[in-house]
Amino acid sequence: MKRSAFRTSVRLPLALALLLGAGVASAQDTAARYWSDSWRGWHFYEDPPAAEHERPTLSEQAVSSAPASRAAELVEFERLQKTLEDTRNIAIMRPTEANVRRYMELESQVVARASYFADVAQRVVWATPELDPTLQGRPVNAKALEVFEQTRQAGRSRAIADLGKDHVLFFFYRSDCPYCHAFAPILAAFQARHGIQVVAVGMDGGSMPGFPEARPDNGIATTLKVTQVPAVFLAQPFTGRITPIGFGVLSESQLLERLAIVSTPQGEAMLPSATRQIDLR
């Protein structure tokens, strides 16, 4: 016990001396640094040494050091693009014969590459029907366009005939309106050809040639806010659903196209507020 206590009593003062000595040495080092750099003064701030910053992890180092994998064609294209731009700028700023010639020669090479690409693309289109835009919609060839129009009109005519089983067309007119008189024969022929009934409604109570059973307005024109004639609406009497087709004089092809559009669910979704629900009985 005594020997242990003795060792403790010796070690404690020794440890204190070492601590005090380290503190004194630290204070002396600080004072030495200050007097050697006294020009900085007491108040200054310095960024910590680079070693004190947080070091990147191994994964970050691997990502930063790994070269980006890019296609050689992209590198070549960017180099060509940059060369062309630089050559053009040089020719603009110093339009000597040599500079302009150098730019025009390089531009000619680029145009030749683009032309070759266009030729290859055209061959791909010829060999791949699903990539040919002339086969995916309205054709550009005159004969093909004629066949396209005939086929589309026949399909729409059948659709209008089916639509006429439970729909009618309301034709709002005035007896003193010359446009209404010009439009009436078109509607009469449309009714006979496509099998959908046209109900003529005289807003002034007058008659209209071609529609001997025309009825006077009973307030429906006011309900639909018809302010311009001639006007055509597609109506389904059993449900009371009514949708505007158009105002003014329309051709037969316009009537077919508009009826084909508004009679589909997609057409109604385009403008749902156009369709109204009223009592047509």
Side-chain angles (χ1 to χ4, degrees):
M1 288 295 293
K2 291 182 179 180
R3 186 174 297 177
S4 177
F6 173 76
R7 290 179 179 176
T8 303
S9 63
V10 172
R11 290 176 180 175
L12 184 58
L14 181 59
L16 290 174
L18 291 174
L19 291 174
L20 290 175
V24 171
S26 177
Q28 289 176 351
D29 292 341
T30 302
R33 285 198 301 269
Y34 167 71
W35 289 113
S36 63
D37 296 334
S38 59
W39 58 274
R40 303 189 190 189
W42 287 103
H43 304 288
F44 65 91
Y45 172 79
E46 290 183 343
D47 292 331
E52 296 181 7
H53 287 292
E54 183 179 356
R55 296 181 179 179
T57 62
L58 293 177
S59 59
E60 293 175 348
Q61 290 178 350
V63 171
S64 61
S65 62
S69 178
R70 302 186 63 197
E73 292 82 0
L74 293 178
V75 176
E76 183 182 359
F77 175 80
E78 291 179 357
R79 182 168 56 249
L80 177 62
Q81 190 178 35
K82 183 67 166 58
T83 303
L84 180 65
E85 183 179 356
D86 292 344
T87 307
R88 182 195 60 190
N89 294 341
I90 292 173
I92 291 174
M93 298 304 298
R94 191 178 296 276
T96 64
E97 181 180 354
N99 289 341
V100 174
R101 184 185 301 276
R102 187 181 303 111
Y103 167 68
M104 294 182 68
E105 289 174 350
L106 184 59
E107 184 185 35
S108 178
Q109 296 176 15
V110 174
V111 171
R113 284 174 175 261
S115 178
Y116 184 73
F117 163 77
D119 291 341
V120 174
Q122 190 66 59
R123 293 293 302 274
V124 170
V125 167
W126 293 346
T128 315
E130 57 269 20
L131 296 179
D132 190 346
T134 63
L135 301 179
Q136 305 304 320
R138 189 182 184 88
V140 295
N141 180 273
K143 191 62 179 179
L145 182 60
E146 180 181 349
V147 174
F148 173 80
E149 292 292 349
Q150 292 175 353
T151 304
R152 185 173 66 170
Q153 185 165 350
R156 286 178 173 176
S157 180
R158 289 192 297 270
I160 298 305
D162 292 338
L163 192 67
K165 296 177 181 178
D166 58 353
H167 286 75
V168 298
L169 289 178
F170 277 103
F171 167 41
F172 294 92
Y173 70 91
R174 284 193 175 89
S175 59
D176 59 351
C177 169
Y179 297 100
C180 298
H181 284 271
F183 190 33
I186 298 175
L187 280 175
F190 189 85
Q191 175 180 240
R193 183 174 293 112
H194 301 289
I196 185 170
Q197 182 183 359
V198 178
V199 178
V201 179
M203 297 180 62
D204 59 355
S207 61
M208 177 60 61
F211 295 96
E213 299 181 358
R215 62 185 67 177
D217 179 25
N218 61 356
I220 187 175
T222 302
T223 302
L224 296 175
K225 299 180 181 179
V226 178
T227 58
Q228 182 174 342
V229 291
V232 179
F233 286 75
L234 176 66
Q236 190 176 31
F238 298 107
T239 62
R241 294 168 60 85
I242 187 165
T243 305
I245 298 301
F247 300 84
V249 179
L250 301 175
S251 65
E252 179 179 349
S253 60
Q254 287 178 310
L255 287 170
L256 280 172
E257 180 180 6
R258 297 186 183 192
L259 287 171
I261 292 175
V262 302
S263 60
T264 62
Q266 295 84 357
E268 184 178 345
M270 293 178 187
L271 194 63
S273 61
T275 300
R276 303 186 60 183
Q277 197 90 14
I278 62 176
D279 187 4
L280 297 177
R281 292 174 297 178

